[in-house]
Amino acid sequence: MSWNTIGIIGAMDEEIKQLHEHVEVASQYTQAGITYYKGTLHGRSVIYCKSGVGKVNAAVCTQLLIGAGVDCILFTGVAGALDPRLQIGDIVVSTTCIQHDMDCTPLGFPQGVIPYQEVSEFVADPELVKLATGVSELLFPGRSVAGKVLSGDQFIASRDKVNELYEGLRGACAEMEGAAVAQVCQMNGTPFVIIRSMSDKADGSAHVNFEEFTVKASDHSMRMIDEMLKRMP
């Protein structure tokens, strides 16, 4: 598949700051309170933005990017590690995404299942997953996994919750936007992949390392995006 215009989303300033430094920005506009930047990176057309934190912000900016004509969406940023093999700075490339805080278990639905909807676990585009995993292994050999990304409007900071999400839902990492991006992309038939760099272990120690490692993790994410765009067909 050919990717003509690439949509890139980050949730926080740190996650798009380096895009400002690398993209040749031709124009910008604001819609629904979100600023979008149009330009080129390695000769390829891109539109990128900061979504803001949480699933609603992520869903809104994803739909607006799709409406602007992007061919695929890359969501990049930081996450808390759930898989015990992951260390701070490691990369998770999404295979699928679910909303861990979608919980209608009292009605008989498994955790993460959206009631009365055919799809609740959203599958990333295989070509983008292959590209992202290849790039992550090139840049960070032995420090990346392809796995399930869990999203919810919660900052996970409990070892018990980490164990619940890892053992119950087999999530590789937890964050606050990816599954919303994934669901909107699935509804529109738009290819996507979520790329997360681990900023903390989601175990209650975030106050020690989150701010320190967010910059490092964001740098890893930017290197991923940069190399992926170089290698896209």
Side-chain angles (χ1 to χ4, degrees):
M1 184 177 291
S2 178
W3 317 108
N4 296 313
T5 301
I6 313 301
I8 305 170
I9 306 173
M12 300 187 300
D13 288 327
E14 292 87 352
E15 296 166 0
I16 66 164
K17 180 180 179 181
Q18 292 189 53
L19 282 167
H20 290 321
E21 298 170 359
H22 288 80
V23 174
E24 296 179 22
V25 176
S27 62
Q28 66 183 72
Y29 62 95
T30 300
Q31 191 173 5
I34 300 168
T35 301
Y36 298 83
Y37 302 88
K38 302 179 70 172
T40 56
L41 180 60
H42 301 303
R44 191 179 299 277
S45 175
V46 299
I47 306 175
Y48 69 95
C49 66
K50 181 184 78 171
S51 66
V53 175
K55 293 187 298 180
V56 173
N57 284 324
V60 168
C61 78
T62 301
Q63 187 62 56
L64 292 176
L65 276 175
I66 293 170
V70 301
D71 297 303
C72 66
I73 289 182
L74 314 178
F75 192 108
T76 180
V78 300
L82 300 176
D83 188 326
R85 297 173 298 174
L86 291 167
Q87 302 300 318
I88 292 169
D90 288 357
I91 300 292
V92 171
V93 175
S94 67
T95 52
T96 64
C97 300
I98 67 170
Q99 299 177 53
H100 69 77
D101 63 347
M102 176 61 67
D103 188 353
C104 292
T105 52
L107 299 178
F109 296 94
Q111 184 178 357
V113 169
I114 303 170
Y116 317 117
Q117 182 166 299
E118 289 186 6
V119 179
S120 297
E121 185 167 344
F122 306 102
V123 179
D125 179 77
E127 288 188 41
L128 291 176
V129 172
K130 182 179 179 180
L131 175 62
T133 53
V135 166
S136 63
E137 190 57 32
L138 173 71
L139 296 177
F140 314 106
R143 298 198 62 191
S144 64
V145 300
K148 186 187 298 184
V149 173
L150 308 186
S151 305
D153 288 324
Q154 303 168 356
F155 192 99
I156 305 302
S158 158
R159 287 183 176 85
D160 289 342
K161 188 68 173 180
V162 167
N163 291 336
E164 173 191 328
L165 295 177
Y166 180 65
E167 295 173 7
L169 296 176
R170 307 311 297 174
C173 67
E175 38 86 294
M176 301 176 72
E177 296 86 24
V181 173
Q183 181 173 348
V184 174
C185 285
Q186 190 271 339
M187 293 168 73
N188 286 273
T190 300
F192 76 91
V193 69
I194 311 298
I195 301 161
R196 290 294 196 175
S197 183
M198 302 302 101
S199 62
D200 63 276
K201 298 279 286 182
D203 60 359
S205 62
H207 65 285
V208 175
N209 53 34
F210 180 76
E211 290 186 8
E212 177 182 354
F213 287 100
T214 290
V215 175
K216 177 182 177 181
S218 298
D219 178 68
H220 286 187
S221 296
M222 178 62 218
R223 290 176 64 189
M224 286 282 299
I225 294 293
D226 190 66
E227 191 65 29
M228 285 179 67
L229 264 67
K230 288 180 184 176
R231 293 167 176 265
M232 278 186 174

